[in-house]
Amino acid sequence: MTDPGAATRRISTEGADLLTLAGVNDANLVELARLFGVRVALRGDALTISGPEELATRAAAVGQRMVDVARQQLTLSADDVLRLSELRPEETGDGAEAAEGGAAPGAPHIALPGVRRIVQAKTPGQAEYLRKIAEQDIVVGIGPAGTGKTYLAVAAAVDALIRKRVRRIVLARPAVEAGESLGFLPGDMQAKVDPYLRPLYDALDEMMPFERVQKALETRIIEIAPLAFMRGRTLADAFVILDEAQNATSMQMKMFLTRLGVNSKVVITGDKTQVDLPKREESGLLQVERILTGIEGIGFQYFDESDVVRHRLVRQIIRAYAADAGT
């Protein structure tokens, strides 16, 4: 006997990449079913969702966003399905503004030559971050690990370089030891600081083919260096990123910000909970937040665990540490 409270929703998948929609081993469909407690089936040209009427209706709204993503042949994972389910109704828009790969609808995205996938904002916070980077001369992104602060900034920098909006990219990081000593590593100065800069190389490698990265580094079109190496320079026609800024001292931060030249853009990223400076040193990131807020041309973007786009457990880990710190 049929449950009078049960309902079935069918969503056309015409034009959608079914492998993208279903995910590896149907992981995306399994996640949709788990989130709403419904049955999900993909057969022929339809995605069928069955279950209690209210749950089936809510699941169908997320299913439609998944289909919209698959039609654009963008990436879609189980974590993206989770993010799509967390969008509020006012953030969903219509089909024309469907979320891209779990992105906030209508969110900015960056298509880079040589990169198979489109770099896109996957949360409203990330979307606002990219908008501020496009509009402001200096943008400060503050939030926990895994929120895409550095990744999106590097993507925006590469995009600006390719479009000839800037002539070079400068990526900097404070060389501060995070509880481990690298002073006894073998090699010259470059070999000793490279471990600090490796995350920047990794982000860059995802944005450009390896050969182009190497050529750009050799010709100094792209420069990756410790923050201390910025002293005495003027950075004009450049997209400059300071990563892990919570470990820059107040003096280093002032030095860095005053390097800004004509036609340059600066993005500063950091996590206030991960300061590795000696206790007597004030973090330059905290000082910037305190004294530069409200200045025209400088934008601040704050991220929280809802913006985490790594494995879903990262979000729960951040929440657990925050709760423990508050006890």
Side-chain angles (χ1 to χ4, degrees), residues 2-326:
T2 303
D3 183 351
T8 298
R9 301 286 184 266
R10 289 183 175 83
I11 303 167
S12 172
T13 59
E14 184 178 357
D17 185 313
L18 299 185
L19 290 176
T20 297
L21 178 61
V24 179
N25 295 326
D26 292 338
N28 298 344
L29 305 183
V30 170
E31 179 68 3
L32 181 62
R34 184 192 71 80
L35 287 170
F36 295 97
V38 295
R39 295 184 299 279
V40 179
L42 180 59
R43 296 189 181 91
D45 60 353
L47 178 67
T48 303
I49 299 171
S50 304
E53 184 167 4
E54 180 182 353
L55 297 177
T57 299
R58 290 167 53 198
V62 177
Q64 182 62 63
R65 295 172 214 159
M66 294 168 59
V67 170
D68 291 335
V69 171
R71 283 184 176 136
Q72 299 175 66
Q73 296 187 355
L74 300 172
T75 59
L76 184 67
S77 67
D79 285 348
D80 291 328
V81 175
L82 174 61
R83 281 189 288 276
L84 288 172
S85 73
E86 293 174 342
L87 290 177
R88 297 185 298 273
E90 62 269 24
E91 295 173 335
T92 59
D94 54 26
E97 296 182 309
E100 299 181 356
H109 63 273
I110 300 170
L112 300 173
V115 180
R116 291 184 180 180
R117 62 184 180 185
I118 293 175
V119 177
Q120 57 211 6
K122 293 192 172 186
T123 70
Q126 288 190 344
E128 185 61 24
Y129 181 53
L130 283 180
R131 292 190 188 101
K132 286 179 179 176
I133 290 176
E135 296 168 0
Q136 307 281 4
D137 293 326
I138 299 176
V139 175
V140 183
I142 299 175
T147 51
K149 303 182 299 296
T150 303
Y151 183 84
L152 293 175
V154 173
V158 172
D159 184 55
L161 182 66
I162 291 172
R163 296 177 185 274
K164 300 186 184 304
R165 293 172 180 164
V166 297
R167 295 174 57 188
R168 57 181 170 156
I169 296 172
V170 179
L171 308 176
R173 251 191 172 204
V176 175
E177 297 170 354
E180 300 178 58
S181 177
L182 299 177
F184 295 100
L185 287 177
D188 57 14
M189 177 61 71
Q190 189 64 44
K192 289 179 185 294
V193 300
D194 267 355
Y196 295 111
L197 305 176
R198 178 48 51 190
L200 295 175
Y201 284 103
D202 291 343
L204 198 57
D205 286 342
E206 289 197 37
M207 307 299 170
M208 299 172 67
F210 178 78
E211 296 78 11
R212 289 189 62 188
V213 172
Q214 293 305 306
K215 183 176 180 181
L217 289 170
E218 291 170 3
T219 56
R220 300 185 70 82
I221 291 174
I222 298 178
E223 180 181 355
I224 304 177
L227 175 59
F229 288 17
M230 298 295 105
R231 189 174 300 279
R233 303 178 59 185
T234 298
L235 302 174
D237 289 315
F239 197 118
V240 190
I241 299 172
L242 174 58
D243 191 35
E244 296 289 330
Q246 74 275 3
N247 289 326
T249 66
S250 296
M251 290 299 294
Q252 286 178 327
M253 183 64 76
K254 180 181 177 182
M255 176 273 291
F256 173 77
L257 289 172
T258 53
R259 301 307 94 201
L260 183 64
V262 177
N263 189 41
S264 288
K265 187 179 292 289
V266 169
V267 177
I268 298 168
T269 69
D271 179 354
K272 295 190 293 184
T273 69
Q274 298 291 328
V275 177
D276 296 313
L277 291 169
K279 293 188 181 300
R280 65 179 182 276
E281 293 276 10
E282 180 185 15
S283 168
L285 180 65
L286 299 180
Q287 185 185 50
V288 161
E289 183 186 23
R290 189 176 71 250
I291 69 176
L292 298 186
T293 301
I295 296 179
E296 185 176 354
I298 302 179
F300 286 79
Q301 180 61 39
Y302 292 89
F303 299 88
D304 57 30
E305 68 269 10
S306 67
D307 294 301
V308 171
V309 293
R310 290 181 186 166
H311 194 285
R312 71 189 64 190
L313 285 177
V314 174
R315 184 184 309 188
Q316 296 178 33
I317 290 167
I318 291 170
R319 189 177 299 131
Y321 271 94
D324 183 68

